[in-house]
Amino acid sequence: MSADEPGPDEEQEDDVLTDQFSTDEVYQRVVADADHEVTSGTRELFFSALAAGFAITVTFLLYASMTATTETKIGGVLLYPLGFIYIIIGGYQLYTENTLPPVALTLERLASVPTLLHHWLIVLSGNFLGGGLGALALAYGGVFDDATTVVAVGFAEKGIATPASTLFVKAAFAGLIVAGVVWINFAARDTISRLVVVYLAFLAIPMGNLHHVVVSFTEVVYLTLVAGTNPVPALGGFVLPVLLGNTLGGVVLVTVVNYYQTSGRRLEIDRFQNVRRLSVREWLAGSLAGRSYVPVIDTVEEIVRDPETYRILVPIANPRTEAGVVRLACQLASSHKKGKVHVVHVVQAPRRWSPDTDRPQWDQITHESKRLLENTRQIGTTYEVTLETSTVVSPRSFEEIFILARRTSPDLVVMGWDQEGLWSSARAERPLDELTNRLPCDFLIANDRGLDPSRILLPTAGGPDSDLNAEVAKVLRQVANAEVELLHVVADEADERAGEAFLRNWAEKRGLEDAAITVDSGDIEHAIARAASDSTMLMMGATEKGLLSRLVYDSLHLEVINDVDCSVLLAERPSARSIRERLLGSSTRKRHPARAFRNRVEEAVGSESPEAAEPAENTAEQD
């Protein structure tokens, strides 16, 4: 018999264990389920948690009713597990049940810590709302008789009277039980086994005088509605210690212990092979989660930033047609002593595509991308800048740009844009407003119609995004001999002299004092279109709302991009938003900087002194 062939004893052992999952197999099922959970939509997750909160109301209802009508404790707890059976067998989202799968995914660095906390917050909010609404129905629906009401109120009063340290320890044991049930649930092969385990395990909570956070919250809400007590002390002294104890018991005593009892082969399955783990920075402060959020192919290496290096990130969807964008980036980088251009070929993959199911296709994509990027590298040689290339194959497209920018920390992102392109047709799953209003660096979006920088028109009203355009125009004037014309549009002809004074002051401060000056009045879009008739490149800055979000939603209020024949560069700089603006949105402000110069222009006309039209230093860019 060969040494590799199993002996009779080994075959008999395999037969005995055919119906039992190994620890690694259980863990694989846990992580696969967690991947589905964290990639679920917020609405789906919240309403599943809401249903679980309603189910907990059933537990509270039966526990109080049975306790009020029976003389022995066992009679009162026999139906306590029913609500939990609904939740686990029915697949609803319960906070304590969620301490196991998402934490396992986070330990594997397939989900970030902020994503885990966000996931918990949604589930806990849904659970509390469901339990609170259930308590409201019990309090005002006439469900309980007087005796049951006294018992139900007594549950919360007993918990409030218990010391916080005791509550914490009791809740930790309850968290251990719940998370342990989840682990066994994934190890069970049939519904009957799962039903028995769930029932017996949750029977131990009331029998051991333990506490579950959602049940405790429901009890407190009921007490508040019936007795009119202040809920704040009860939430802080009763519900909070139970919440912390449940979390610790589920995470530390079960999840982490189960993680470390698995072997190094715990994720050697098709679903998770060749999936990039999150970097430490992404894991601690990122927003990625699950294999659907992580590129299936990623050749972007961890980049160590040199503080003296000016780095430009150029995400491209088609290396054949986006050479102009790469060339523009190389021109901008060449003006810096240590300028680097990082070109990333982003290939959009189907949502559930796995390279393991079609390895030849994976190899073909990687090889073809490398071949196409070879021509791109030659552009860097032409401009004598360091040019790096990478390939990312991801189910994401538009959002992947922001992920790459946060991972590699560039100074500037230069990307192409057109109505038929990948970026414009793609839709990110995360809210676009949040993506586009939290920029990690400066952005230049190029509508490529040749990208000839020989004659540049730069309209400005003094905003910060115009400063970025001014920096780009200075570089192109230096490396491409560009002619720069500045434009400012005022409301009426009476303000044209003031507008000219503003524009000259603005140009001087930004090193563009030799640029041509044009001031026009009337409709902004029409004025820009008229001035751009002889230009080869138009540079525009973002409005207060921003340009990226408007481009994705196809709602750019300036129609100039479609009215002119030249290339268009759209510039946007990161800007901080207050909590109020994040909650309520920010209004679009109209800039009228020329008004700050009106009085001085009138004085200059009266004195016939050109110097008198120069503004004070602090009035140059007032709104």
Side-chain angles (χ1 to χ4, degrees):
M1 180 175 61
S2 171
D4 294 333
E5 295 178 3
D9 293 339
E10 294 179 66
E11 292 180 356
Q12 183 177 4
E13 182 180 355
D14 290 340
D15 292 339
V16 171
L17 298 178
T18 52
D19 290 334
Q20 179 178 336
F21 288 120
S22 68
T23 304
D24 286 351
E25 289 173 327
V26 176
Y27 188 82
Q28 290 164 5
R29 300 181 74 191
V30 169
V31 176
D33 182 76
D35 178 55
H36 172 73
E37 285 186 12
V38 298
T39 54
S40 299
T42 300
R43 183 184 64 179
E44 175 186 350
L45 195 65
F46 178 79
F47 280 97
S48 179
L50 185 68
F54 285 134
I56 288 297
T57 307
V58 175
T59 284
F60 178 54
L61 164 66
L62 296 175
Y63 187 29
S65 300
M66 290 290 289
T67 302
T69 56
T70 57
E71 297 180 358
T72 61
K73 183 175 182 178
I74 188 64
V77 302
L78 284 176
L79 295 182
Y80 181 92
L82 185 59
F84 295 94
I85 291 175
Y86 286 163
I87 292 167
I88 295 181
I89 302 299
Y92 297 144
Q93 295 289 330
L94 184 66
Y95 174 75
T96 47
E97 180 256 346
N98 268 276
T99 55
L100 178 62
V103 171
L105 198 69
T106 306
L107 289 173
E108 292 292 347
R109 280 177 36 189
L110 291 175
S112 66
V113 175
T115 296
L116 172 66
L117 299 178
H118 178 259
H119 181 77
W120 280 356
L121 181 61
I122 294 174
V123 172
L124 190 63
S125 300
N127 290 163
F128 280 176
L129 180 60
L133 292 176
L136 182 67
L138 294 177
Y140 298 115
V143 179
F144 288 160
D145 56 25
D146 293 341
T148 304
T149 299
V150 172
V151 172
V153 168
F155 291 155
E157 291 176 339
K158 181 180 178 181
I160 295 171
T162 304
S165 58
T166 303
L167 288 171
F168 178 82
V169 175
K170 287 177 175 287
F173 277 100
L176 184 152
I177 291 172
V178 175
V181 167
V182 176
W183 181 268
I184 298 174
N185 184 45
F186 282 105
R189 289 182 176 271
D190 59 89
T191 304
I192 298 299
S193 299
R194 296 165 65 195
L195 182 63
V196 171
V197 168
V198 172
Y199 180 81
L200 292 177
F202 281 99
L203 197 64
I205 292 180
M207 290 293 293
N209 291 318
L210 307 181
H211 298 279
H212 186 277
V213 61
V214 183
V215 178
S216 299
F217 179 82
T218 305
E219 293 170 352
V220 168
V221 173
Y222 183 82
L223 173 66
T224 302
L225 296 174
V226 173
T229 58
N230 184 3
V232 175
L235 292 175
F238 178 27
V239 177
L240 182 59
V242 172
L243 172 63
L244 297 176
N246 284 167
T247 304
L248 181 70
V251 172
V252 176
L253 299 182
V254 174
T255 303
V256 176
V257 171
N258 285 330
Y259 172 80
Y260 283 107
Q261 72 167 317
T262 58
S263 71
R265 304 178 60 184
R266 57 184 170 269
L267 287 187
E268 291 184 1
I269 55 177
D270 289 345
R271 182 181 181 90
F272 294 103
Q273 285 184 357
N274 300 302
V275 174
R276 178 183 67 83
R277 297 298 196 274
L278 302 180
S279 68
V280 175
R281 183 174 59 183
E282 291 171 328
W283 185 60
L284 293 176
S287 58
L288 306 182
R291 64 183 300 274
S292 298
Y293 288 74
V294 180
V296 291
I297 301 175
D298 187 354
T299 65
V300 178
E301 301 295 336
E302 187 68 23
I303 297 173
V304 179
R305 279 301 309 270
D306 179 357
E308 298 180 358
T309 300
Y310 185 84
R311 183 179 293 276
I312 301 177
L313 173 67
V314 186
I316 59 176
N318 190 340
R320 292 191 184 94
T321 61
E322 297 186 67
V325 178
V326 178
R327 187 176 301 108
L328 173 63
C330 290
Q331 288 175 328
L332 299 178
S334 66
S335 66
H336 294 266
K337 186 176 180 180
K338 288 186 176 182
K340 285 189 177 183
V341 175
H342 184 191
V343 179
V344 182
H345 183 199
V346 181
V347 182
Q348 190 173 27
R351 174 61 55 189
R352 293 298 178 185
W353 180 71
S354 171
D356 302 291
T357 61
D358 196 349
R359 184 70 185 217
Q361 182 181 359
W362 178 25
D363 294 337
Q364 180 181 358
I365 290 175
T366 307
H367 175 75
E368 181 66 12
S369 177
K370 185 178 180 179
R371 185 184 68 81
L372 293 173
L373 289 172
E374 183 61 36
N375 296 329
T376 301
R377 281 187 284 270
Q378 296 177 2
I379 299 176
T381 304
T382 303
Y383 288 93
E384 297 182 348
V385 299
T386 303
L387 191 147
E388 305 165 336
T389 60
S390 305
T391 301
V392 170
V393 181
S394 170
R396 298 298 183 100
S397 55
F398 183 73
E399 185 173 355
E400 198 66 45
I401 297 172
F402 297 88
I403 296 171
L404 287 168
R406 290 187 173 92
R407 285 180 60 196
T408 59
S409 301
D411 297 282
L412 174 67
V413 171
V414 179
M415 53 184 286
W417 192 281
D418 63 75
Q419 291 182 345
E420 304 300 326
L422 174 62
W423 312 137
S424 59
S425 61
R427 291 293 180 263
E429 289 187 2
R430 287 178 57 201
L432 286 169
D433 286 336
E434 281 304 300
L435 283 174
T436 55
N437 281 290
R438 298 174 62 187
L439 301 184
C441 61
D442 293 339
F443 268 71
L444 271 184
I445 304 96
N447 184 262
D448 187 354
R449 293 165 184 161
L451 287 178
D452 177 8
S454 57
R455 298 187 305 278
I456 297 174
L457 176 66
L458 198 168
T460 179
D465 303 300
S466 296
D467 292 344
L468 176 57
N469 277 331
E471 295 172 10
V472 173
K474 283 178 58 180
V475 172
L476 293 178
R477 187 174 62 176
Q478 174 187 344
V479 303
N481 296 319
E483 298 177 4
V484 180
E485 177 185 1
L486 304 180
L487 171 68
H488 180 63
V489 183
V490 294
D492 52 60
E493 294 181 1
D495 286 332
E496 287 187 3
R497 301 251 342 233
E500 183 177 347
F502 152 73
L503 202 52
R504 290 192 182 280
N505 181 266
W506 186 88
E508 182 180 353
K509 289 185 175 182
R510 288 153 184 82
L512 294 173
E513 58 273 5
D514 296 334
I517 297 294
T518 299
V519 176
D520 203 348
S521 60
D523 182 77
I524 296 177
E525 288 86 347
H526 291 162
I528 295 176
R530 285 194 302 269
S533 59
D534 295 329
S535 302
T536 60
M537 181 177 291
L538 170 65
M539 294 183 176
M540 297 199 306
T543 63
E544 293 299 322
K545 184 175 177 61
L547 282 173
L548 286 177
S549 58
R550 292 177 179 271
L551 281 171
V552 176
Y553 285 122
D554 195 23
S555 61
L556 183 62
H557 76 292
L558 293 175
E559 296 296 337
V560 180
I561 192 171
N562 299 318
D563 294 341
V564 299
D565 296 326
C566 61
S567 298
V568 180
L569 284 187
L570 307 173
E572 184 164 8
R573 290 211 131 138
S575 59
R577 292 193 303 158
S578 65
I579 296 177
R580 177 184 176 278
E581 289 173 332
R582 290 187 179 277
L583 293 175
L584 304 178
S586 57
S587 59
T588 300
R589 294 181 297 169
K590 294 183 178 180
R591 295 182 179 273
H592 300 287
R595 292 177 181 175
F597 292 76
R598 186 179 297 167
N599 294 336
R600 296 184 177 274
V601 169
E602 291 174 354
E603 293 175 3
V605 173
S607 64
E608 297 182 354
S609 173
E611 288 78 8
E614 293 300 322
E617 184 70 22
N618 61 354
T619 62
E621 291 186 16
Q622 295 181 9
D623 288 342

